[in-house]
Amino acid sequence: MTLQEALPLILPLLALQLILIGISLWDLTRPDRRVKGGNKWVWGLVIVFGELIGPLVYLFVGREES
Amino acid sequence: MTGLGPLLGKELREQWRTKRLLVVLIVFAAFGIASPLLAKYTPELIRALASDELANAVPPPTTADAVDQFLKNVGQTGVLAAILLAMGSVALDKERGIAALFLTKPASRGAYLLAKLLAIAATLLAGTLAATAVGYGYTGWLFETLPVGGYAAMGLLLFLQLLVYAALTFLGSTLARSSLVAAAFGIAGLALVAFIGALPAVGSYTPGGLSEAGRALALGQQPERLIGPVATNLATVIAIFVVAWWAFRRQEL
């Protein structure tokens, strides 16, 4: 299978991953957002490098709810 | 169950407002897409990278591999989501003193707990259905079209499986004042269920047994056991809720 043949299959997956990272980073960078441990950079790394699970963990555990 | 309707509405809005529902939908859908893809192309990748001898030993992918990957990936992510969804549901409210505030309104403690569990169940159901729908489409695209009823039934059995783990964590969240303790309770429950699942006589009645039945249904086969495992797991969820309710009624908030 060539890359051109594989792209239509993989693109929706990449799009979902990017949407998930985008939602999480948008939430993280809100000025009023407080996070567990207080360090937003660490959570940023979790979101970006945690594949699908990173944003899930951030949005469920990382936020201090107001 | 006084006040169940408004409390459930509030919990469902909360799932949406905190983006939990959206994130669960996206993550489950992503694993629904990834599973048939992995089943199809992992052998091809191994063949391309491995020596000729090893490459010849890799069997060609089958539809059953796609279903197995789906059950494994969505099941594992689902368990994580179930624990994350349920761990703070009651414990965080108690920690912040919000639970006592809610219960000063005309709402019973049973309704408060049931609304929380139903909202968790609704989020897990939405995620499982999203994964099932895209998993079905991709499996049909990459392998062969499976019976839609059987595949949908597999999705529902997977949901019931996840609901058991969510209920166990929910019980921990009701008993404890910390969401971390609740998560530990859920993980201990997971280990206990895995241990019981390894016992020959009762294994098929545990949540893991539902996967076996779901696999058979998705592939258009007759499962060895279906009604017994479904009834046992449903009864387990109800029993866990009753224990949580009984304990919550006696708690000082």
Side-chain angles (χ1 to χ4, degrees):
Chain A
M1 168 175 267
T2 64
L3 186 64
Q4 269 186 334
E5 286 169 333
L7 263 183
L9 296 166
I10 298 167
L11 271 180
L13 191 60
L14 290 175
L16 285 176
Q17 172 111 41
L18 287 177
I19 291 169
L20 199 56
I21 291 174
I23 291 170
S24 307
L25 288 179
W26 173 78
D27 186 274
L28 180 71
T29 50
R30 278 171 44 192
D32 59 336
R33 167 62 63 212
R34 292 190 304 130
V35 293
K36 294 261 168 68
N39 193 334
K40 286 193 175 186
W41 283 102
V42 173
W43 283 109
L45 292 174
V46 169
I47 291 166
V48 174
F49 295 109
E51 298 192 8
L52 288 166
I53 303 300
L56 185 77
V57 171
Y58 164 69
L59 289 165
F60 279 77
V61 184
R63 300 182 294 181
E64 292 276 11
E65 295 291 340
S66 51
Chain B
M1 291 288 166
T2 318
L4 178 63
L7 283 171
L8 180 58
K10 177 222 155 246
E11 289 300 327
L12 291 173
R13 281 193 299 278
E14 192 84 353
Q15 296 287 334
W16 179 251
R17 190 186 62 77
T18 55
K19 300 183 194 70
R20 291 179 166 193
L21 176 61
L22 185 64
V23 169
V24 165
L25 280 174
I26 292 174
V27 171
F28 274 61
F31 278 102
I33 291 173
S35 301
L37 277 173
L38 280 169
K40 179 83 176 176
Y41 295 114
T42 304
E44 276 194 24
L45 270 174
I46 294 171
R47 269 191 222 106
L49 299 171
S51 63
D52 285 350
E53 203 175 314
L54 183 62
N56 290 334
V58 178
T62 62
T63 316
D65 294 334
V67 172
D68 288 339
Q69 276 283 351
F70 180 89
L71 283 167
K72 181 168 75 81
N73 293 336
V74 181
Q76 285 171 354
T77 317
V79 169
L80 177 68
I83 292 174
L84 289 173
L85 270 168
M87 62 189 264
S89 55
V90 183
L92 271 181
D93 277 7
K94 285 194 287 186
E95 220 174 283
R96 297 187 199 131
I98 302 171
L101 273 179
F102 275 122
L103 296 169
T104 54
K105 295 178 179 175
S108 68
R109 290 191 178 208
Y112 169 83
L113 281 189
L114 188 58
K116 294 235 174 238
L117 189 58
L118 287 177
I120 292 167
T123 306
L124 283 175
L125 180 62
T128 315
L129 291 181
T132 306
V134 292
Y136 180 77
Y138 264 72
T139 305
W141 194 2
L142 295 168
F143 294 91
E144 61 176 310
T145 306
L146 291 167
V148 67
Y151 205 89
M154 177 191 69
L156 290 175
L157 291 177
L158 186 57
F159 160 68
L160 180 56
Q161 183 182 346
L162 300 180
L163 192 57
V164 175
Y165 298 122
L168 281 167
T169 313
F170 182 80
L171 175 61
S173 190
T174 307
L175 298 175
R177 277 194 173 268
S178 147
S179 49
L180 281 179
V181 175
F185 199 95
I187 292 165
L190 184 69
L192 179 69
V193 167
F195 173 74
I196 297 170
L199 302 174
V202 290
S204 55
Y205 293 91
T206 61
L210 293 172
S211 288
E212 288 166 29
R215 181 184 189 274
L217 287 170
L219 294 170
Q221 299 160 357
Q222 190 62 36
E224 215 173 295
R225 292 189 187 88
L226 178 63
I227 305 296
V230 168
T232 309
N233 283 282
L234 266 178
T236 304
V237 172
I238 294 167
I240 290 171
F241 176 76
V242 170
V243 173
W245 183 29
W246 180 82
F248 193 60
R249 281 174 63 186
R250 283 156 179 76
Q251 281 179 9
E252 285 274 342
L253 295 174

